[in-house]
Amino acid sequence: MTVATRYPSLVEAAERHPKPADVTYAYGTAGFRMKANLLDSVIFRAGVLAALRSKKLDGKTIGVMITASHNPAQDNGIKLVDPMGEMLEQTWEAYASQLANAPTIEELLAVVDRVIAANKIDLSKPANVVYARDTRPSGPALVAALADGLSAVQAQHRDEGILTTPQLHYIVRCLNTQGTPEAYGEPSAAGYYKKLADAYHKLVNGKTRLSPLHVDCANGVGAPKIREFAQVVGEAALALIVTNDDTETEGSLNYQCGADYVKVNQHGPHGVEMQPNGRYASLDGDADRLVYYYMDNDRVFHLLDGDKIAGLAAMFIKDLVTAAGLEGINVGTVQTAYANGSSTNYLTNILQVPVSCTQTGVKHLHHEAEKYDVGVYFEANGHGTVLFSPVVLQAISDTVSRTPAQALAIAQLRALTDMINQTVGDAISDLLLVEVILTHKQWTLSQWDQAYTDLPSRLVRVVVKDRNIFRTINADRQLESPAGMQALIDGAVAKFANGRSFVRPSGTEDVVRVYAEAATRHECDELAFRVAGLVFDNAGGLGDRPAEFL
Ligand code: G16
């Protein structure tokens, strides 16, 4: 039976969401992401795919998040969430792209039939899908297109309204584990707040509270959600000052604020008057990234990015595992090529934890982190989490403590496993993790920053005619194509002490990204712009040549 025979209304529904000609879609680093006005057909079709994925998995609930995270307000995007709250399995990403690119309804139906045949999907199985969106103005119309796709194939679906991306991931896992030994929690935002707040209270109980934390919410969904959380956790436990919380003004989302802006520009967000030694953090537009920062007495800005968070978390958890007497449990870390060389050195040589390097994209880091008993994974941009394997969870519940100190360490580890989102990087949950550690240590941000000194680094975006000609190997550290480009980069890097640079196509924006680090700020900037210039000159650069120094 073909999909069109089984669901006669699918054809008519698909006709309401025609694919624009001359647009090629790709399920990239974090799903489909582009100008919102090009996404209607993609989102409708993603709804059909989500239903098929659910049927394939015996009716398990699949999540769909409509967001473009750190991208500007006019963009939007969509990503699918698998039953345990993890990112969509990679083979299905290819189906998503094929479905999105089918030029006609006939070809769309043919692709759907091929997916059904290749996966032996039984269409009589139920399909369950939940979805949410961030605060973008294009969200409601795209949600309607999604619902249309889901209804066309008779999936059961539920709109969870406006949520952060990690909240949706959490809810998906809760729904699929309810009533099982792996039950993850109450499948609602309220359940999420309670789970995190209870664990946080256990972890900071009896400790001296830190000074208030200013949280820049990128004028996105993090603002209302962290406020809701603040109500639940209570000001006595955690004092937050929420800034950049304007989700109404058009174009304000991620504009000159948010985690990506702060990381890339290495200065504080607009809308925040930084004071020496105040405590500051930024979320991104869908609250899955987090960075901290402060200004010293000389008013010099200091960033504590995902690498610093990874170092802090690995140090704390490693000590806790030792104090809990959990012998044989290995704590490992996962980074990408963007990790600052000093952070890798700190993890390897000072903390003495294993470090793996994967391609950019949390989905890659997540899978690598699952190979450790405790896997700490963070991208330098502040996106990451800590995974506790079933082996550790078992050890935590089985270990009989011999001393009060050991009992306390075990209780604290258990609370950490509840507080740290196990599905995906989560800015609110990560913020709590950092606050717990700093509270335990009674550290200022400057004391945390002492762990190591970053090598100066720089990110440059280059607009090119076709970024798809760029293909990377060796976990994004080298280019395989365009031919000859890597040799040019190597030639540029060789001229700088401690120099390192790589080039990769973005999976979320239509640009090529250039990363460079070197011994001094000047050398680093010079290297970054030299490499950006090479890309621009030799691979179809468009617009102005990147030229800060040259
Ligand atoms: C997404 C991914 C991240 C990735 C980032 C940038 O983040 O989830 O893992 O680091 O895109 O990707 P790219 O350099 O390919 O544009 P987010 O927060 O935008 O969803």
Side-chain angles (χ1 to χ4, degrees):
M1 186 189 274
T2 65
V3 72
T5 336
R6 182 76 167 75
Y7 304 112
S9 64
L10 177 59
V11 172
E12 198 191 314
E15 276 164 359
R16 288 194 293 273
H17 304 278
K19 176 189 178 291
D22 307 328
V23 186
T24 306
Y25 299 103
Y27 197 97
T29 318
F32 295 107
R33 207 175 277 189
M34 60 208 317
K35 296 273 171 290
N37 59 2
L38 295 174
L39 279 170
D40 178 79
S41 63
V42 175
I43 300 233
F44 171 85
R45 293 167 182 205
V48 175
L49 189 71
L52 293 179
R53 179 92 184 128
S54 175
K55 284 177 188 289
K56 166 72 188 165
L57 300 174
D58 270 334
K60 289 229 163 54
T61 301
I62 297 296
V64 179
M65 185 70 200
I66 295 185
T67 177
S69 188
H70 71 277
N71 291 48
Q74 66 272 21
D75 288 3
N76 214 325
I78 184 166
K79 53 186 163 192
L80 270 57
V81 179
D82 262 357
M84 289 303 275
E86 70 277 46
M87 303 284 192
L88 177 68
E89 189 188 290
Q90 268 184 20
T91 44
W92 281 65
E93 293 185 358
Y95 299 149
S97 299
Q98 287 163 24
L99 240 65
N101 289 311
T104 62
I105 308 276
E106 291 66 41
E107 288 185 53
L108 170 65
L109 296 175
V111 175
V112 173
D113 283 329
R114 280 206 296 277
V115 173
I116 292 170
N119 292 281
K120 301 191 174 62
I121 295 172
D122 177 354
L123 289 180
S124 66
K125 289 272 170 74
N128 294 291
V129 177
V130 290
Y131 49 92
R133 63 181 172 94
D134 66 16
T135 53
R136 283 162 206 269
S138 54
L142 295 177
V143 160
L146 176 72
D148 219 12
L150 291 164
S151 299
V153 290
Q154 295 167 17
Q156 293 289 326
H157 53 99
R158 195 170 75 218
D159 185 355
E160 294 284 341
I162 293 179
L163 290 177
T164 70
T165 296
Q167 285 181 319
L168 180 77
H169 284 253
Y170 162 89
I171 287 174
V172 169
R173 183 156 175 160
C174 291
L175 288 168
N176 287 305
T177 54
Q178 262 174 333
T180 73
E182 286 88 41
Y184 195 59
E186 269 291 300
S188 64
Y192 166 92
Y193 298 135
K194 186 167 182 319
K195 179 171 179 169
L196 267 57
D198 286 351
Y200 180 76
H201 286 146
K202 282 183 197 149
L203 283 157
V204 297
N205 188 21
K207 311 259 178 222
T208 306
R209 203 182 70 169
L210 303 172
S211 64
L213 179 69
H214 299 253
V215 186
D216 152 34
C217 295
N219 293 319
V221 62
K225 299 304 166 186
I226 207 164
R227 282 220 166 90
E228 287 170 14
F229 175 73
Q231 291 284 320
V232 178
V233 77
E235 218 201 326
L238 179 65
L240 298 175
I241 298 169
V242 176
T243 58
N244 288 328
D245 58 349
D246 176 5
T247 56
E248 298 297 322
T249 306
E250 220 181 299
S252 62
L253 177 66
N254 294 322
Y255 182 66
Q256 298 189 326
C257 60
D260 198 56
Y261 176 86
V262 172
K263 167 74 180 159
V264 172
N265 295 289
Q266 315 229 354
H267 62 68
H270 287 236
V272 177
E273 207 42 64
M274 285 181 71
Q275 297 302 329
N277 298 313
R279 301 190 331 115
Y280 300 89
S282 285
L283 320 181
D284 70 341
D286 64 340
D288 59 9
R289 296 195 204 175
L290 172 75
V291 295
Y292 271 68
Y293 42 93
Y294 66 98
M295 184 187 258
D296 65 23
N297 288 328
D298 299 324
R299 303 193 77 82
V300 175
F301 174 86
H302 298 267
L303 178 68
L304 294 146
D305 61 3
D307 296 341
K308 289 271 181 179
I309 296 174
L312 187 74
M315 180 251 327
F316 185 73
I317 292 171
K318 194 173 173 234
D319 286 351
L320 216 46
V321 165
T322 306
L326 301 183
E327 273 122 44
I329 294 295
N330 65 28
V331 179
T333 55
V334 187
Q335 304 186 311
T336 71
Y338 288 112
N340 194 279
S342 296
S343 77
T344 313
N345 184 44
Y346 170 75
L347 292 170
T348 311
N349 298 320
I350 308 292
L351 288 188
Q352 303 196 336
V353 291
V355 182
S356 323
C357 181
T358 71
Q359 241 180 300
T360 291
V362 274
K363 59 191 177 197
H364 303 297
L365 290 95
H366 191 96
H367 291 310
E368 188 63 28
E370 283 174 334
K371 296 180 183 162
Y372 296 110
D373 297 326
V374 181
V376 179
Y377 75 85
F378 277 88
E379 294 185 301
N381 63 25
H383 203 169
T385 191
V386 182
L387 298 183
F388 295 90
S389 71
V391 170
V392 182
L393 298 179
Q394 199 59 50
I396 290 172
S397 68
D398 289 354
T399 305
V400 183
S401 41
R402 274 170 261 113
T403 63
Q406 190 186 3
L408 181 63
I410 290 172
Q412 288 175 341
L413 266 179
R414 187 175 293 125
L416 278 185
T417 65
D418 282 335
M419 195 184 74
I420 303 176
N421 195 326
Q422 295 297 287
T423 65
V424 79
D426 179 339
I428 295 180
S429 158
D430 291 341
L431 181 149
L432 296 178
L433 172 61
V434 171
E435 291 298 296
V436 162
I437 303 173
L438 297 182
T439 303
H440 274 242
K441 302 272 180 201
Q442 288 294 302
W443 276 355
T444 61
L445 299 189
S446 153
Q447 285 171 299
W448 166 19
D449 203 15
Q450 304 310 308
Y452 62 87
T453 305
D454 275 321
L455 279 169
S457 70
R458 179 99 191 204
L459 264 169
V460 182
R461 303 154 92 245
V462 186
V463 182
V464 294
K465 204 161 113 237
D466 179 12
R467 77 187 200 277
N468 297 315
I469 62 171
F470 286 81
R471 278 199 306 277
T472 62
I473 50 171
N474 192 11
D476 285 338
R477 288 173 288 202
Q478 285 175 307
L479 278 177
E480 150 183 272
S481 146
M485 181 70 77
Q486 187 58 45
L488 295 175
I489 298 170
D490 292 343
V493 169
K495 300 192 177 79
F496 295 86
N498 284 334
R500 185 166 76 87
S501 179
F502 66 90
V503 173
R504 57 175 283 279
S506 162
T508 63
E509 294 173 72
D510 195 7
V511 297
V512 168
R513 299 198 196 283
V514 173
Y515 175 87
E517 64 185 38
T520 65
R521 163 60 47 206
H522 183 84
E523 287 174 311
C524 164
D525 288 349
E526 190 176 336
L527 175 58
F529 282 94
R530 251 180 219 282
V531 174
L534 289 173
V535 169
F536 187 90
D537 295 342
N538 295 287
L542 295 179
D544 293 338
R545 188 175 191 273
E548 185 149 298
F549 283 81
L550 308 168

